[in-house]
């Protein structure tokens, strides 16, 4: 029995499903999750001493690659000063100033501890600001696991074939309306029915939790126009795209201004953190300035701030990283696309910048319904082939492949070679 198998067995006795986040359990691909001991650059090493080329990157934050010295050193420095104070620190101010400086339209930002918390708080702020109750989300978009947003969610919810979560009351979701990603008419229909009741539309500007689904031409612009016309707020969930597609995230990449933006792990360079922010006028509803309550002892934690400041500083001072990241993404994903074509594989490749994935369906994937046509058993076979050859992919058809600045051309060539040999057989 391998160390990972042994640990998974032990974990399954004391942790639900043996994991602390469901996708990691390998349920949709079968087999044993690798228990990780360390990671460096584009590689991770497991308990059995096996090293893998990693395309998960902690689900996004490892833009610079794992264990970047510039981030690690700042974290260690901060640890020497104390781990948590429950009182304000200069690092929080610096972090907020940096986010406001780098993100278009960002005037005020509140730190929280995860993307789930950021979304939950942004929705409350939108409701408080507009005095309206309804929220529009898109089927297949995942915005964390807070009650009101667990309707037709992506990520692990989609993987298990579970449309919604048990334990969420009807009351919690009665003001959540689900629309079809990339289909503006489905959003117009909601506004026709509830012209004065929608507080906000929340969207992943590039959907990356039903696999990667890029926004169709005009989709994000259309959402912006509808929100402006009906007095609703546009919330971009940039937990995955923020500081990845560009320093200003999807807003900068697509040239669309949202009213509120949410962030998660990505702004902490791997530490547990999240944030939400936007125009001062909107953020002024947050307590203690305004009546919308939201709080947290670990919010703005000094170690998380140190990691975040270090990573954002590196990104800000080296804009070339984005050119490299997007070039590597382009090289990998156009390479995969060519292989799929060359081998007549019944698969589709979607990508934007350094995010992408193969869907095991020959049809174009543009939303939740088309993503669900994927042959997940076939994906499982591909996944295990790659894992057996030491390439670590997200263990689900509906998760993205993340390229980091630490991936080299050789890493990508090696990956393409393996993909070619899988699909050529
Ligand atoms: N929700 C993440 C995927 N979109 C998975 C988180 C994890 O397992 O760490």
């Amino acid at each position: 029995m391998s160390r990972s198998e042994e640990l998974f067995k032990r974990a399954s006795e004391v942790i639900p499903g043996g994991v602390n986040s469901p996708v990691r359990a390998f349920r949709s691909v079968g087999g044993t999750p690798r228990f990780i001991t360390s990671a460096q650059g584009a590689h991770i090493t497991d308990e059995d001493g096996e090293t893998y080329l990693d395309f998960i990157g902690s689900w996004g934050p490892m833009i610079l690659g794992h264990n970047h010295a510039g981030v690690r050193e700042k974290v260690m420095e901060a640890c020497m000063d104390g781990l948590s104070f429950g009182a304000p620190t200069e690092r929080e101010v610096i972090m907020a100033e940096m986010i406001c400086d780098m993100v278009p339209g960002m005037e005020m930002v509140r730190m929280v501890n995860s993307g789930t918390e950021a979304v939950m708080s942004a929705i409350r702020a939108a409701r408080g600001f507009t005095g309206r109750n309804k929220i529009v989300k898109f089927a297949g978009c995942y915005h964390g696991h807070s009650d009101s947003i667990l309707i037709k969610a992506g990520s692990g919810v989609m993987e298990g074939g579970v449309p919604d979560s048990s334990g969420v009351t009807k009351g919690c979701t009665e003001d959540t309306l689900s629309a079809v990603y990339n289909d503006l008419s489905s959003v117009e229909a909601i506004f026709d029915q509830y012209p004065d009741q929608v507080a906000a539309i929340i969207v992943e500007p590039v959907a990356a939790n039903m696999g990667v689904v890029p926004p169709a031409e005009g989709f994000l612009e259309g959402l912006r126009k509808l929100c402006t016309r009906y007095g609703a707020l546009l919330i971009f969930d940039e937990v995955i795209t923020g500081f990845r597609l560009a320093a200003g995230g999807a807003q900068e990449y697509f040239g669309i201004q949202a009213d509120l933006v949410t962030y998660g792990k990505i702004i902490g360079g791997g530490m547990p953190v999240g944030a939400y922010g936007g125009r001062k006028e909107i953020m002024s509803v947050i307590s203690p300035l305004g009546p919308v309550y939201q709080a947290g002892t670990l919010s703005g934690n000094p170690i998380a701030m140190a990691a975040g400041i270090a990573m954002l500083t590196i990104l800000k001072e080296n804009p070339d990283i984005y050119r490299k990241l997007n070039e590597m993404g382009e090289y990998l994903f156009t390479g995969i696309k060519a292989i799929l074509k060359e081998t007549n594989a019944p698969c589709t490749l979607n990508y934007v910048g350094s995010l992408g994935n193969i869907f095991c369906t020959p049809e174009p994937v543009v939303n939740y319904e088309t993503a669900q046509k994927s042959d997940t058993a076939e994906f499982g076979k591909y996944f295990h082939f790659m894992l057996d050859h030491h390439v670590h992919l997200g263990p689900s058809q509906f998760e993205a492949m993340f390229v980091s600045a630490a991936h080299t051309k050789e890493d990508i060539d090696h990956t393409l070679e393996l993909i070619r040999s899988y699909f050529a057989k």
Side-chain angles (χ1 to χ4, degrees):
M1 195 186 266
S2 70
R3 275 284 294 156
S4 284
E5 282 168 336
E6 199 184 306
L7 283 168
F8 194 39
K9 194 160 174 269
R10 267 173 60 198
S12 301
E13 294 298 321
V14 286
I15 305 174
V19 290
N20 283 310
S21 189
V23 177
R24 297 178 201 173
F26 273 37
R27 288 271 166 119
S28 72
V29 291
T32 305
R34 301 303 186 258
F35 280 64
I36 305 304
T37 51
S38 64
Q40 190 64 53
H43 294 87
I44 55 166
T45 301
D46 73 6
E47 286 277 351
D48 294 286
E50 301 289 338
T51 294
Y52 300 82
L53 180 59
D54 182 38
F55 285 102
I56 297 182
S58 192
W59 305 100
M62 297 308 160
I63 297 174
L64 303 173
H66 289 285
N67 203 10
H68 189 280
V71 177
R72 186 184 60 236
E73 276 155 23
K74 292 293 176 190
V75 166
M76 291 173 81
E77 231 174 68
C79 285
M80 300 307 285
D81 297 332
L83 301 184
S84 174
F85 311 123
T89 64
E90 185 182 12
R91 286 194 180 93
E92 292 163 75
V93 186
I94 296 171
M95 182 77 171
E97 285 170 347
M98 289 193 83
I99 294 175
C100 289
D101 182 42
M102 291 169 84
V103 177
M106 184 71 75
E107 293 174 350
M108 266 190 173
V109 59
R110 175 56 74 79
M111 290 300 170
V112 290
N113 299 292
S114 69
T116 292
E117 218 184 300
V119 165
M120 188 177 86
S121 311
I123 287 175
R124 191 177 301 153
R127 286 178 166 147
F129 179 74
T130 58
R132 300 171 175 187
N133 291 345
K134 299 208 181 296
I135 298 292
V136 178
K137 82 169 286 284
F138 294 92
C141 282
Y142 180 71
H143 303 289
H145 60 91
S146 66
D147 284 358
S148 74
I149 213 80
L150 269 182
I151 293 226
K152 288 205 175 155
S155 192
V157 187
M158 188 165 174
E159 174 198 271
V162 188
D164 304 298
S165 169
S166 154
V168 175
T169 63
K170 216 169 157 211
C172 281
T173 55
E174 69 187 8
D175 283 320
T176 310
L177 305 163
S178 182
V180 180
Y181 197 79
N182 278 332
D183 179 358
L184 284 174
S185 67
S186 69
V187 186
E188 279 159 357
I190 290 175
F191 278 118
D192 281 347
Q193 199 178 349
Y194 305 104
D196 312 316
Q197 294 181 52
V198 177
I201 295 180
I202 183 161
V203 65
E204 286 182 80
V206 174
N209 284 286
M210 50 174 150
V212 173
V213 181
E217 181 120 20
F219 177 60
L220 298 176
E221 289 85 343
L223 295 182
R224 177 62 278 171
K225 281 189 191 141
L226 285 170
C227 282
T228 305
R229 185 182 317 150
Y230 288 96
L233 300 186
L234 179 61
I235 307 176
F236 269 12
D237 180 337
E238 296 232 38
V239 165
I240 288 183
T241 50
F243 297 96
R244 171 171 282 277
L245 294 186
Q251 291 195 101
E252 180 184 326
Y253 193 85
F254 294 110
I256 308 283
Q257 185 72 62
D259 298 300
L260 284 172
V261 184
T262 60
Y263 298 102
K265 50 209 164 202
I266 212 154
I267 58 163
M271 295 297 292
V273 70
Y276 65 103
R279 292 200 307 280
K280 217 169 240 180
E281 173 200 12
I282 302 170
M283 291 304 285
S284 299
V285 299
I286 306 298
S287 182
L289 273 187
V292 173
Y293 197 72
Q294 179 268 310
T297 297
L298 293 173
S299 298
N301 171 269
I303 315 303
M305 294 300 97
I309 294 166
M311 191 180 82
L312 296 191
T313 305
I314 295 169
L315 291 175
K316 194 175 162 191
E317 290 175 357
N318 301 280
D320 212 40
I321 288 175
Y322 288 105
R323 190 190 47 77
K324 188 181 167 226
L325 203 57
N326 289 331
E327 268 176 24
M328 275 300 159
E330 185 76 17
Y331 184 59
L332 172 65
F333 296 124
T334 53
I336 298 178
K337 211 167 196 157
I339 291 167
L340 296 179
K341 193 163 174 218
E342 194 181 295
T343 57
N344 276 322
C347 295
T348 304
L349 187 281
N350 278 358
Y351 77 102
V352 177
S354 54
L355 294 167
N357 75 307
I358 297 175
F359 288 96
C360 294
T361 167
E363 289 173 41
V365 175
V366 295
N367 57 27
Y368 184 68
E369 204 188 324
T370 45
Q372 278 187 317
K373 294 200 170 139
S374 307
D375 182 339
T376 51
E378 187 50 43
F379 178 85
K381 286 184 204 154
Y382 159 70
F383 168 85
H384 276 293
F385 173 86
M386 296 301 278
L387 192 65
D388 288 348
H389 290 83
H390 291 85
V391 175
H392 196 238
L393 303 174
S396 159
Q397 168 67 95
F398 305 114
E399 301 294 348
M401 209 170 163
F402 297 87
V403 178
S404 79
H407 285 96
T408 62
K409 186 167 174 294
E410 290 67 40
D411 291 331
I412 304 293
D413 282 334
H414 173 66
T415 307
L416 289 172
E417 226 17 78
L418 285 173
I419 295 178
R420 176 172 288 106
S421 68
Y422 179 76
F423 284 106
K425 70 179 166 40

